[in-house]
Amino acid sequence: TIDQTKFMIIMQSFNRNALVSPDDNPVGPTDNSANLSGGEGLPSTTDEIQDALDDLYEYLAQYSASRGEGDIMVSKGDGYVFISFADAVFFDGDSSFLRKDGQELLDGIIPALRACGSAIDELEILGHTAQVVADKPNPVPGDRRLASLRATEVAIYLQENMEDVLNPGRIVPKGLGQWRNVAPHDGVEANRAKNRRVEMIITGRDLEDQLSDSYEKYYTMYNATKEQTTVN
């Protein structure tokens, strides 16, 4: 596996602005020109944000390849990095208790997430379930609760290890249940395993449009409701 020392070398080779803090934890670009709610430092250019996401993708791709177990898939696009984890790594069947294997896997990616923390707009965790019976959807309450609890357990673990570099308001767990399946709900165990998964979508901040910032956008909408309610 890629240890933290190797990670820091990789990050510095990808991004000249990536430095090492006194406690040997990777930190993001230091050219920060603004602070938003929560005291988070911001990269000063859009290019720096995309560079940070590119660095994150490169690390995750190498980390996935180093494991060689097929339990992590990663892709990237303009302004985001997408990670899909095999659910069996995190949870036993019908359980939302985070397994030790899952904690260790998260420990392997947290240094990379910390390194680009100041560039992250939102870290979304998606919890999925598999349909138990081929021709019958899961009972809605249990399906949604299990998916939500799984996403929340991952969110809790990330928050406890990243709160100093990423505002917890930017960590968003979502329980999607069985409804975004990537394989048929046909009762075949291999397909159930594919559908039983956890994913992350890491989006970068948009410095040119503050209303594209999910954290700030929430408070903009909330304040608008106060104003409009008062007027009405």
Side-chain angles (χ1 to χ4, degrees):
T1 60
I2 300 177
D3 61 25
Q4 191 173 40
T5 301
K6 292 180 181 177
F7 164 73
M8 289 186 287
I9 294 172
I10 291 170
M11 286 296 291
Q12 288 175 312
S13 68
F14 288 136
N15 182 0
R16 287 174 297 177
N17 290 325
L19 303 176
V20 179
S21 65
D23 61 355
D24 290 331
N25 288 323
V27 296
T30 57
D31 184 17
N32 299 326
S33 61
N35 285 293
L36 294 180
S37 301
E40 300 160 292
L42 281 174
S44 60
T45 69
T46 300
D47 286 344
E48 283 185 2
I49 291 176
Q50 188 60 52
D51 286 346
L53 293 177
D54 289 343
D55 293 346
L56 173 64
Y57 169 79
E58 294 290 348
Y59 172 77
L60 293 172
Q62 293 194 38
Y63 181 62
S64 174
S66 74
R67 290 178 61 86
E69 300 173 8
D71 51 13
I72 307 175
M73 296 188 297
V74 59
S75 63
K76 69 173 181 176
D78 186 14
Y80 74 87
V81 173
F82 181 86
I83 317 168
S84 185
F85 304 94
D87 191 62
V89 176
F90 287 122
F91 306 104
D92 293 324
D94 295 324
S95 171
S96 60
F97 181 78
L98 186 59
R99 292 164 44 117
K100 184 177 180 180
D101 290 348
Q103 294 179 13
E104 291 174 352
L105 190 153
L106 290 174
D107 288 341
I109 71 169
I110 282 173
L113 293 172
R114 288 179 58 87
C116 69
S118 61
I120 293 176
D121 170 34
E122 195 167 83
L123 198 167
E124 191 174 41
I125 301 118
L126 309 179
H128 301 269
T129 61
Q131 185 170 301
V132 177
V133 180
D135 58 352
K136 184 180 180 180
N138 298 331
V140 174
D143 186 61
R144 289 288 187 176
R145 288 188 183 114
L146 179 59
S148 297
L149 285 170
R150 287 175 169 178
T152 299
E153 285 298 313
V154 175
I156 290 169
Y157 195 82
L158 293 178
Q159 180 175 334
E160 289 177 341
N161 287 277
M162 294 180 60
E163 193 166 359
D164 59 328
V165 295
L166 181 64
N167 190 304
R170 297 185 182 277
I171 301 175
V172 183
K174 291 184 177 180
L176 299 179
Q178 68 171 77
W179 302 108
R180 293 194 187 180
N181 54 302
V182 294
H185 289 310
D186 55 10
V188 176
E189 180 54 35
N191 288 331
R192 290 183 62 197
K194 291 177 182 178
N195 290 329
R196 202 167 49 231
R197 67 200 189 280
V198 172
E199 295 168 333
M200 293 182 195
I201 303 174
I202 301 103
T203 52
R205 299 194 187 194
D206 185 346
L207 298 181
E208 298 177 0
D209 183 0
Q210 187 170 337
L211 288 181
S212 293
D213 184 296
S214 297
Y215 189 88
E216 293 298 313
K217 187 176 182 179
Y218 166 80
Y219 286 105
T220 299
M221 292 188 293
Y222 176 78
N223 290 328
T225 62
K226 290 197 300 183
E227 294 173 3
Q228 292 174 24
T229 300
T230 302
V231 171
N232 292 335

